[in-house]
Amino acid sequence: MRRANPGAPRHGVPRVVATSDVTRFRGVAVAALTAAVVAAAAAIALSPASSRGGAPGPLSPSHRRAGLACATCHGSGARGVPPATACTACHQTHPSTRPGHTTLRASGALACAGCHGGHRGHGAVTFFPDGRAVRDDDVGSRDVAVAGYRPTRALTVPLVDAATCAGCHDPTRAPLLTCVIGGVVTCLDEHRAVRGRDGTIGGRDGVWEAARAVAHALPPRPRRPDRGSSPWLGLAIASVAALVTGGSARAIARRRRGRRDAAAVAHPAAPLVTAAAIRRLPVIDAATCLGCDACVEACPYDVLEVRRYVAVVARPDACCGLTLCAQVCPNQSLTMRDAGGGAGAAPAPTERGSLEAAPAPGVFVVGDARGGSLIRNAVDEGARAVVAIAARLAAAPRPPGDPLELLDVLIVGAGPAGLAAALEAQARGLRALTLEQGTVAGSVQSFPRGKLVLDAAAPGAAAPRLWLAEATKEELLARWMLIVRTERPPLVEGRRVTALAPIAVGGGWRVESSDGSGATTEHRARHVVIAVGRRGSPRRLGFEIPSAMTAHVHYALADAASFAGRQVVIVGLGDVAMESAIALSRQPGTEVVMVYRGTEFRRGRTRNIDELRRRIAAGAVRIAWRSEVVGLAPGRATVATAGGRQDVGCDALFVLIGAEPGAEPATGAGTSLLSRLIRPVPASETDPQHHTFESVDPSVRPGDPSTPRTTDRGEEAPP
Amino acid sequence: MTAELIAAGAARDARDELYRDGEPGETLFVVLAGSVELRTTRRGDVIPSLLRTARVGDTFGEEALLPGLARRASAIAAAGTRVAEVPGAVARRVLARIGDAGGAGSREGRYLERGAARDVLAGSALGRDLEAAELELLLDGVRLEHFARGAELVHAGDRAEHVYVVAEGLVQLQRDGAVQAYLARGDFFGDDEALAGAPCAATAVAAGDTWCAVLPRAVVRTVTDRNPGVLVRWRRVAATQLADQAAVVGDAAARSTQHAFRDLYRLQIARSLLVIDQDTCVRCGHCAWSCAEVHGESRLVRRGDKVVTPVDVALGRGMLGRDDGDGARPATLLLPNTCQHCRHAACLHDCPTGAIGRDLDGEVFIRADACTGCGNCARSCPWDNIAMAPRPVPPAPATTAGRLRLSPEIAVKCDLCREHEAPACVTACPTGSLLRIDPERALAEVALVLRGAARRRAGTAAAAATGAATATGAAAAAATGSESETETATGTASRTTTTRLRAAAKRGATAGIVLAALAAGWALPRAWNWAPDRGAGLAAGAVAGLLLLMLGAYVLPKRLVRSWMRPRDRRQQVRPVARSRTRVHLIAHVGLGLLAPAAVLAHAGLAMPASPAGALLLAFVVASATGAVGAAAYRGIPRMLTRIERGGALPEDLAGDASELRARLFRELSGTSELVKHLAARILMPYARAPLGWLALAASRRGLSDEERRLRARVDAVLAGRGADRLHGLDGVIRLAVELRALPGRRALTAALRAWMPIHVVLAAMTLGLLGIHVITAWRP
């Protein structure tokens, strides 16, 4: 799971974050220490006993039977090869008689233990008076029955490893060649025969003979090699230990740091907007305000402003009641107080009941057009409307003979709500089409850069794909563009719906739309989802626009470059108007005239005002104060000023005087919007005999419905 | 007004120099007694000349009222002078309080603005050529205007009404979407068009916070009519400079799309810019780690823009541009996110509590005690070099007594480790790839464009004399500068060849020594029958053990950064140039690492018995193998990686980059023609998604822009001239497609650079542990 990035900008302020540069060696020190210790321990544990330098292994079984201790041979504290006298106490003195061995013994370089090991590693045969014998080797002891030899007391004949002799003798030559059987030297003839008190030598010789026979009969078993384990094993164990401890150390460090950061910056989670909160307003103590702009930056809705070094509430109606500003205020000069709005001042959050417009069955109004203004509500409503439509379609299946060209649902507008509806319709396999007058999510695109647009998904929301927790406008747009490009819901941009009319026969709606050039198209659909948002219903001029000019009146600027070299008139002096004027005036050869009722710059961003003043000073923009556009004809606009009327050259008229408020929240069904949009059925259609779609006046009658007929509504006025 | 200003200020005796030309100006002065001379070196001059003398009641240093405007002149007080010093912010508030209009709109404000403008104009070439009376004429019409980064001064095609003299900052003249010229302090533009009454030929955009003295057309016309020669002289200066500039910028742009002029303002304003040579930087992040060690949190994030530009080799001696020794090879520099100690620091001006200050050296620092954590500075920094961090000692709960409480968060940024002798990042870099430079001095291209060729020589000489920033470096820079101008091209070439030969010889000698040592380690024990436990074999073992300890000791200076950071010597006026100290250690580590195998071989041979000795040998072999892999990676990968990345990125950025790049690709595609969309689906996306495409790209040794050109050629070949009018937006898509293809390569190469190190460390620790056990067991008689 990806953790929330603590370094993400919080309202534009980056926070220090521990990058991988800093954290990459966390836990490595612990891991290295563990590795060193474990590797050392493993090396000791896994190496053979002989190479460990400590005790050379346990005693041989015969010595153990005899009850020997370390000190019996080695004396107290002394180590190394025990002196020759240590063995003679039990075994009697019968040193080797071979000349070479004798010489070495005399020089002290050879002792009994030099060839016969007292510890595991050498074999022996022990004879008991009861005729039983025990053959010892490295693996263990075996009982043997011996016929013909019975000592008077227990006698042990130590054998010698061939390997012991190999230190001096070549094992491929005499004498070793002849006397080694299965790795044990069985010649036993290097010792002088010992005569007994009775003068016979039989005792000793007999022992030797018997031992030789036993050794022949029971050769030493291959012992488990005591070579220790491969060094690789130790390395692997140490590596695993290092991995485990290092990994845990990292995890612990990360958790601890996370806790510390959280404790240091204890910002309570921002509460969601509630109706009650809306009437709360920031109150600023001008005496202590530092004018630091922190609250201004924190406010996502541009409520606050710094004037004369002190923050003031500039746009109280835009306040959402969040306390982000209060949280960032460095010295608590800003507090949120109840503004005392009184009961009923705040509209209750939209009750999402039926989204269907009461006066127009089959038409659904969703999103901002309903009066709410949260993207998440819009997305939710768009999806819900289509869910409702799908349910209705399932209940009333398509009648047979219904023309295929009849769409299940036509969606007007590709903003948040429209997109959600389009995607939902696609997912449910409905035949849908989306018409968008500008570009996808145009109003979201027009948000200020970096604006936070979504805080959290509404509980139980539909269409969760369009959510993005704590996204900026850009992130959200990128996500939507990706979805639109990959899923390709049927969508036509640059087409503006101009009228809706019910189809009398069979139900459904006829939707008329026009593109930028004025060509109109008609679609028919059983349901219509109106998701036009607020920008979709711009405020219009007070007079009827002549039909010849309708294509030249714009309510938004999409692409300034396409107006290069034209004469443009802009009505309004808000931010949008100013920005449009600035953009247009930068096109080569474009003449811009601004028409405004006021007498001076009243509102708008300082930056825009400054820039516009500069453009005016540079002669790129003209501005007519206290004036209004009162008439429009091809190529010219009539502007009424205090001094009278005058005509201005006008290839394009931009009406940028804001937008009509959305449908009344009280009715919640967007009736006023619908009443504007739904065209009275033309006279020819009101004829009781002929108010079907097919009987429309031939001049506007569509041809083959599968290829929507285009009527050129022309650049020039109708004759 | 003066009385109120004096009341707001602190009176003090003034002696000698009050401030120096070019320093950031933060206080306004009123003369109480005596007089103060204002002197500056005019543009084109070498020696300073007198601008004016401020007498009792006069104000000077008015530029303090305009945040971001540096001192226009040096102020030298006569004996017995007494002045009142008013902080600029206080003066602004005083002015705002008197009179309703306040600020620059009031009569008082206008008076002060005029004072500042006088110094600006008098300090430019205008001042030298014009009589005082003529200057007054200009001053009557002048306005000082501020333009924010990105603001347009004039737009091409507008009516030209003003002549602009750049007082501070940087202005780009753009024509047809391309930058035509960069104008810095003292330059002017708009005179041709304004005097001719023609529309502006070029768009002028402020590349950073810029102040201009704006002269109305009519005033300039009057003055030039009365002084016919002036304009000709101005234009000659300007023309020479523009020609120089065009040549430099053209060269740089031809070499790389990431030339130094993409954000020239940053290079102009930076005083101590941290640069990382991407061809040698091994992306270990030790710089950021050391920063976090010293400050508690890292104030250096290795993200940022890349710039390809030649670096003055004297500054980066043995570091930047090390390969051919003559500084001709343009280095690829990363400008990471860390404070560059701007000449006119926006953060400093925007701090409401004055918590941000500036050292005498010009180092900008934040006083944690005064910081309220409002984040203003972080927002005002155009390069995101300030971030908020938890306050080191958590604040006590807010008291009711004082309204002010310590905020839980404070702003932090690089302070050049001001308590210490040198910044930790630079000294800790194991490859010596980090350097703090003054771009205006160290980057020849930048110096030429910003200061002009004539000023450049004077500038470096002055720098050598004052010894600012780099005592030795600048002097050497001046020396190389004058040398390189006289030197012929062939001389440079031969020197390059000898340098290359020398480097090759050095490499050969190293390889020879290592191989000889290994051969000796193999052959000697066999020839002389050495045994590990006695005589020469034992001695070899002792040597090997010692070498292992020394190899392991490398970790001490590297990780214990805090303990060997020496405190700063405050008596020293100028801090010595910071250089990497760890680099020597790394070289030693690698050298010893090359010799150690020979000693081990001589001691133990190749047998690995099941004993501590065998385990030790095995651990050593594996550890040195990882070390060798790491050395090879450090040697080869950085260049490869630099070629296929556009900017500095951390490994964790690369993880999310794929989806982000795809999203950007779709955003880029929206609004393009169907043809481009089709091309993207048919050619570009398969190209970007080709498995192992990154390997082909990395192996091809092509840079990203070469690859873009190739891809574009491929697309053009497919199109065969069709649809040329519908290709708008294709270049952006191609750019993203290439980046998308290179992304897995960046991820793989970064991982290769980083993954081996922890393994090496753990194995080395095992080796040392086993060495201990081995010594203990072998010690027994």
Side-chain angles (χ1 to χ4, degrees):
Chain A
M1 196 190 87
R2 215 173 141 175
R3 292 168 65 241
N5 181 8
R10 189 170 49 92
H11 306 295
V13 187
R15 293 204 58 223
V16 159
V17 57
T19 59
S20 65
D21 282 354
V22 178
T23 57
R24 68 182 282 220
F25 282 109
R26 260 185 211 158
V28 171
V30 175
L33 213 63
T34 318
V37 172
V38 172
I44 293 172
L46 297 177
S47 57
S50 55
S51 68
R52 266 176 228 152
L59 286 174
S60 61
S62 45
H63 278 170
R64 211 162 43 219
R65 266 197 302 273
L68 297 192
C70 295
T72 318
C73 302
H74 295 287
S76 62
R79 286 185 160 190
V81 179
T85 50
C87 304
T88 52
C90 304
H91 290 280
Q92 301 173 4
T93 317
H94 45 90
S96 178
T97 51
R98 286 181 184 261
H101 289 178
T102 314
T103 320
L104 285 170
R105 226 173 58 79
S107 71
L110 192 66
C112 303
C115 298
H116 305 281
H119 294 274
R120 195 171 281 248
H122 301 278
V125 183
T126 308
F127 297 96
F128 295 97
D130 57 357
R132 189 168 56 89
V134 174
R135 166 81 165 103
D136 297 322
D137 62 11
D138 284 323
V139 180
S141 305
R142 284 172 289 178
D143 284 343
V144 224
V146 182
Y149 179 73
R150 266 169 202 253
T152 49
R153 55 190 172 89
L155 276 178
T156 300
V157 180
L159 302 177
V160 172
D161 253 358
T164 312
C165 309
C168 308
H169 298 280
D170 185 347
T172 60
R173 298 171 63 182
L176 280 192
L177 191 62
T178 51
C179 44
V180 172
I181 297 169
V184 171
V185 179
T186 48
C187 300
L188 308 179
D189 55 355
E190 52 270 27
H191 297 288
R192 182 165 49 84
V194 178
R195 290 194 183 276
R197 288 208 185 95
D198 54 354
T200 62
I201 56 165
R204 182 59 64 182
D205 280 345
V207 160
W208 286 347
E209 279 305 319
R212 187 177 295 141
V214 170
H216 277 292
L218 295 172
R221 287 169 294 185
R223 64 173 172 184
R224 196 169 50 83
D226 183 21
R227 275 182 289 132
S229 307
S230 159
W232 287 100
L233 183 62
L235 214 64
I237 292 173
S239 305
V240 170
L243 212 63
V244 169
T245 54
S248 344
R250 265 183 93 86
I252 291 170
R254 191 163 45 209
R255 212 171 307 144
R256 192 182 300 159
R257 188 171 177 93
R259 267 204 301 272
R260 204 175 54 208
D261 283 359
V265 191
H267 283 291
L272 290 179
V273 185
T274 62
I278 285 181
R279 298 321 300 168
R280 283 153 61 83
L281 276 179
V283 176
I284 296 142
D285 183 351
T288 55
C289 176
L290 297 163
C292 70
D293 268 323
C295 51
V296 176
E297 293 288 340
C299 179
Y301 300 104
D302 296 335
V303 173
L304 299 156
E305 227 174 60
V306 167
R307 290 186 193 147
R308 302 284 302 270
Y309 309 106
V310 167
V312 293
V313 182
R315 275 172 291 276
D317 48 341
C319 180
C320 63
L322 293 186
T323 57
L324 296 172
C325 46
Q327 285 166 28
V328 297
C329 182
N331 62 353
Q332 296 168 328
S333 302
L334 187 153
T335 45
M336 291 300 287
R337 302 258 178 84
D338 200 333
T350 45
E351 264 302 318
R352 287 200 222 95
S354 166
L355 297 163
E356 196 168 6
V363 176
F364 292 73
V365 180
V366 295
D368 281 7
R370 291 175 66 82
S373 63
L374 287 173
I375 290 181
R376 60 170 189 211
N377 283 349
V379 171
D380 194 33
E381 286 174 5
R384 275 163 197 262
V386 172
V387 171
I389 289 169
R392 196 173 298 179
L393 284 172
R398 177 180 292 276
D402 195 22
L404 278 174
E405 294 69 31
L406 187 65
L407 295 166
D408 286 333
V409 54
L410 188 135
I411 299 152
V412 185
L419 269 186
L423 292 171
E424 188 67 36
Q426 194 186 24
R428 290 177 178 267
L430 304 186
R431 282 195 301 124
L433 177 68
T434 308
L435 299 181
E436 164 61 47
Q437 63 167 336
T439 55
V440 168
S443 53
V444 177
Q445 276 176 357
S446 70
F447 284 179
R449 195 153 56 98
K451 181 180 168 75
L452 284 176
V453 284
L454 283 182
D455 41 4
R465 274 182 309 167
L466 296 179
W467 304 123
L468 214 51
E470 299 214 352
T472 62
K473 159 214 164 185
E474 283 80 7
E475 288 165 337
L476 192 71
L477 273 180
R479 157 83 67 101
W480 288 359
M481 289 302 168
L482 190 63
I483 290 174
V484 169
R485 287 290 302 166
T486 49
E487 310 208 353
R488 295 178 175 277
L491 198 157
V492 182
E493 289 185 348
R495 186 162 285 281
R496 173 181 169 76
V497 170
T498 50
L500 280 175
I503 303 173
V505 176
W509 291 83
R510 196 158 60 79
V511 181
E512 192 176 288
S513 59
S514 72
D515 63 12
S517 67
T520 63
T521 312
E522 285 181 359
H523 295 279
R524 295 186 306 138
R526 295 175 71 182
H527 302 94
V528 178
V529 172
I530 303 215
V532 293
R534 279 208 177 140
R535 255 170 46 115
S537 51
R539 226 175 245 138
R540 280 146 205 273
L541 291 179
F543 60 93
E544 189 70 31
I545 310 272
S547 59
M549 282 304 283
T550 47
H552 302 289
V553 178
H554 307 274
Y555 297 93
L557 174 64
D559 176 25
S562 57
F563 294 93
R566 307 280 188 85
Q567 293 176 310
V568 180
V569 176
I570 296 175
V571 183
L573 200 61
D575 271 325
V576 178
M578 288 196 280
E579 278 161 18
S580 305
I582 291 163
L584 285 166
S585 72
R586 284 185 183 155
Q587 303 311 315
T590 303
E591 286 176 32
V592 181
V593 177
M594 299 193 77
V595 177
Y596 184 51
R597 280 190 292 190
T599 53
E600 57 176 6
F601 290 101
R602 269 218 206 110
R603 56 183 169 189
R605 301 196 183 98
T606 332
R607 190 189 156 131
N608 282 338
I609 294 175
D610 287 349
E611 182 63 24
L612 189 61
R613 282 208 168 112
R614 223 169 284 139
R615 308 298 302 156
I616 292 168
V621 176
R622 273 194 300 143
I623 188 158
W625 302 107
R626 258 190 262 200
S627 56
E628 260 181 286
V629 172
V630 292
L632 199 59
R636 67 192 163 79
T638 312
V639 176
T641 58
R645 297 187 169 212
Q646 65 177 93
D647 281 359
V648 208
C650 174
D651 296 324
L653 177 72
F654 282 86
V655 183
L656 305 174
I657 47 178
E660 297 286 345
E664 299 84 87
T667 60
T671 42
S672 69
L673 175 85
L674 280 179
S675 65
R676 275 204 308 280
L677 203 54
I678 296 179
R679 197 167 59 171
V681 183
S684 59
E685 290 182 31
T686 50
D687 185 342
Q689 274 77 46
H690 297 284
H691 57 130
T692 58
F693 169 57
E694 280 77 15
S695 66
V696 173
D697 175 30
S699 65
V700 291
R701 174 184 167 166
D704 179 4
S706 65
T707 51
R709 182 170 169 271
T710 306
T711 316
D712 188 13
R713 293 189 57 181
E715 305 291 307
E716 62 277 326
Chain B
M1 171 199 74
T2 318
E4 273 130 346
L5 275 181
I6 292 170
R12 67 182 177 92
D13 289 325
R15 216 182 319 137
D16 303 335
E17 203 171 55
L18 280 165
Y19 55 76
R20 193 175 293 172
D21 192 8
E23 273 181 12
E26 275 135 31
T27 51
L28 171 83
F29 294 89
V30 186
V31 183
L32 301 176
S35 67
V36 176
E37 282 187 352
L38 298 175
R39 292 179 171 276
T40 188
T41 310
R42 294 202 171 102
R43 195 153 176 79
D45 286 359
V46 182
I47 50 158
S49 41
L50 179 69
L51 290 186
R52 64 177 168 123
T53 307
R55 305 194 186 284
V56 177
D58 285 353
T59 52
F60 63 96
E62 292 93 345
E63 49 269 16
L65 293 181
L66 310 170
L69 199 56
R71 294 296 188 200
R72 314 307 308 174
S74 307
I76 298 137
T81 302
R82 208 171 153 70
V83 294
E85 186 170 6
V86 194
V90 176
R92 276 200 302 280
R93 284 193 186 223
V94 167
L95 288 177
R97 226 176 282 137
I98 353 172
D100 277 347
S106 69
R107 206 163 56 83
E108 292 82 6
R110 173 75 192 138
Y111 174 78
L112 290 170
E113 181 188 0
R114 192 186 151 108
R118 180 206 309 277
D119 294 349
V120 168
L121 287 185
S124 70
L126 288 164
R128 181 183 43 200
D129 297 329
L130 293 178
E131 294 295 318
E134 308 283 327
L135 206 58
E136 288 298 318
L137 206 61
L138 279 182
L139 279 177
D140 286 340
V142 77
R143 271 191 348 265
L144 273 181
E145 273 195 49
H146 175 252
F147 300 91
R149 184 170 160 87
E152 253 181 34
L153 283 71
V154 297
H155 191 84
D158 289 355
R159 223 166 29 226
E161 292 288 353
H162 304 282
V163 175
Y164 292 81
V165 180
V166 182
E168 200 66 67
L170 190 70
V171 173
Q172 283 184 355
L173 290 187
Q174 303 173 344
R175 191 178 283 173
D176 305 328
V179 178
Q180 204 186 17
Y182 299 93
L183 304 178
R185 181 177 176 181
D187 288 325
F188 61 95
F189 67 95
D191 52 325
D192 272 332
E193 297 97 326
L195 292 179
C200 294
T203 302
V205 178
D209 264 341
T210 300
W211 286 94
C212 282
V214 184
L215 301 163
R217 181 165 68 141
V219 179
V220 177
R221 180 183 293 279
T222 315
V223 171
T224 48
D225 285 350
R226 289 162 58 147
N227 304 273
V230 169
L231 204 57
V232 180
R233 277 201 293 279
W234 286 4
R235 284 187 183 160
R236 205 172 43 228
V237 173
T240 332
Q241 198 187 333
L242 286 188
D244 281 354
Q245 220 179 68
V248 175
V249 177
D251 280 357
R255 194 170 47 230
S256 165
T257 49
Q258 294 177 311
H259 49 78
F261 306 105
R262 286 176 65 206
D263 193 356
L264 184 60
Y265 177 64
R266 181 173 186 182
L267 302 181
Q268 181 199 29
I269 199 172
R271 240 198 79 262
S272 178
L273 181 69
L274 188 70
V275 296
I276 306 180
D277 184 357
Q278 289 295 86
D279 282 345
T280 57
C281 169
V282 293
R283 276 75 162 172
C284 65
H286 196 57
C287 40
W289 182 85
S290 316
C291 186
E293 274 294 288
V294 173
H295 300 296
E297 72 282 312
S298 180
R299 300 165 177 190
L300 163 65
V301 182
R302 287 187 312 108
R303 295 184 181 114
D305 296 333
K306 241 169 69 171
V307 162
V308 180
T309 184
V311 178
D312 201 321
V313 73
L315 282 177
R317 194 171 27 215
M319 298 183 189
L320 307 173
R322 66 170 75 153
D323 260 14
D324 39 15
D326 60 355
R329 183 181 69 88
T332 307
L333 304 177
L334 174 73
L335 314 181
N337 274 77
T338 190
C339 181
Q340 57 199 38
H341 303 271
C342 294
R343 294 196 158 79
H344 323 300
C347 53
L348 196 148
H349 299 302
D350 282 3
C351 180
T353 61
I356 303 186
R358 195 196 290 273
D359 258 359
L360 287 177
D361 292 357
E363 287 158 18
V364 180
F365 61 92
I366 300 177
R367 300 180 189 90
D369 297 345
C371 178
T372 57
C374 70
N376 240 19
C377 48
R379 275 184 294 267
S380 65
C381 177
W383 299 280
D384 284 347
N385 292 343
I386 305 183
M388 309 306 292
R391 192 179 279 277
V393 181
T399 54
T400 45
R403 278 191 70 92
L404 274 176
R405 55 163 185 159
L406 288 179
S407 60
E409 278 194 314
I410 54 168
V412 294
K413 68 170 201 67
C414 169
D415 59 1
L416 289 177
C417 293
R418 58 197 303 268
E419 301 303 328
H420 301 279
E421 189 186 53
C425 50
V426 176
T427 46
C429 178
T431 58
S433 308
L434 249 79
L435 211 57
R436 285 238 168 229
I437 60 168
D438 180 352
E440 237 183 289
R441 287 215 176 78
L443 306 180
E445 291 177 340
V446 176
L448 197 63
V449 167
L450 291 182
R451 300 170 153 220
R455 303 253 313 166
R456 178 185 170 215
R457 252 166 269 137
T460 37
T466 55
T470 51
T472 52
T480 40
S482 53
E483 263 171 43
S484 62
E485 275 157 34
T486 54
E487 207 167 42
T488 58
T490 49
T492 313
S494 72
R495 200 168 64 168
T496 309
T497 320
T498 31
T499 323
R500 288 231 174 98
L501 281 177
R502 205 177 299 151
K506 216 158 80 182
R507 234 171 286 152
T510 315
I513 290 172
V514 169
L515 286 179
L518 275 179
W522 173 256
L524 282 179
R526 273 151 193 78
W528 299 86
N529 206 8
W530 289 356
D533 55 350
R534 61 177 188 274
L538 187 61
V543 170
L546 207 63
L547 285 178
L548 282 184
L549 285 179
M550 285 162 77
L551 282 171
Y554 173 58
V555 76
L556 296 178
K558 208 171 168 209
R559 297 313 277 185
L560 302 178
V561 168
R562 247 179 311 186
S563 55
W564 56 260
M565 289 275 289
R566 282 195 285 255
R568 182 176 180 179
D569 184 2
R570 286 276 168 193
R571 287 164 304 176
Q572 236 171 344
Q573 278 292 309
V574 179
R575 288 172 90 176
V577 183
R579 294 219 185 274
S580 167
R581 274 203 264 164
T582 319
R583 181 162 183 254
V584 184
H585 300 152
L586 178 64
I587 293 172
H589 183 75
V590 173
L592 294 178
L594 288 172
L595 292 178
V600 170
L601 203 59
H603 173 64
L606 288 175
M608 287 182 201
S611 65
L616 171 60
L617 183 58
L618 177 67
F620 172 76
V621 168
V622 183
S624 28
T626 53
V629 167
Y634 273 17
R635 183 93 202 154
I637 290 181
R639 269 162 202 263
M640 219 186 278
L641 189 55
T642 305
R643 270 199 301 274
I644 61 168
E645 65 183 8
R646 254 189 240 291
L650 298 169
E652 61 261 38
D653 303 343
L654 297 179
D657 257 10
S659 62
E660 205 231 343
L661 274 179
R662 264 200 299 280
R664 262 171 62 198
L665 190 73
F666 283 114
R667 221 181 306 164
E668 194 81 27
L669 269 178
S670 77
T672 55
S673 66
E674 281 304 316
L675 177 62
V676 174
K677 284 173 185 163
H678 192 71
L679 284 175
R682 283 298 167 81
I683 300 179
L684 302 181
M685 289 313 287
Y687 164 84
R689 287 189 182 139
L692 295 187
W694 64 270
L695 207 59
L697 181 59
S700 70
R701 303 177 72 86
R702 277 191 297 273
L704 287 182
S705 41
D706 293 338
E707 189 70 12
E708 274 166 35
R709 274 193 288 276
R710 271 174 60 96
L711 191 55
R712 179 67 203 245
R714 204 173 124 196
V715 169
D716 286 344
V718 170
L719 288 176
R722 286 166 296 169
D725 52 332
R726 283 173 290 156
L727 291 184
H728 180 73
L730 179 63
D731 286 337
V733 180
I734 286 184
R735 210 177 133 81
L736 285 169
V738 170
E739 226 167 302
L740 210 50
R741 186 184 173 99
L743 188 67
R746 294 171 62 191
R747 229 179 286 165
L749 293 180
T750 313
L753 272 176
R754 288 202 158 200
W756 68 274
M757 177 84 103
I759 302 173
H760 181 65
V761 169
V762 168
L763 286 169
M766 283 187 210
T767 311
L768 289 179
L770 289 169
L771 177 67
I773 292 297
H774 174 61
V775 170
I776 292 171
T777 51
W779 202 261
R780 288 173 177 284

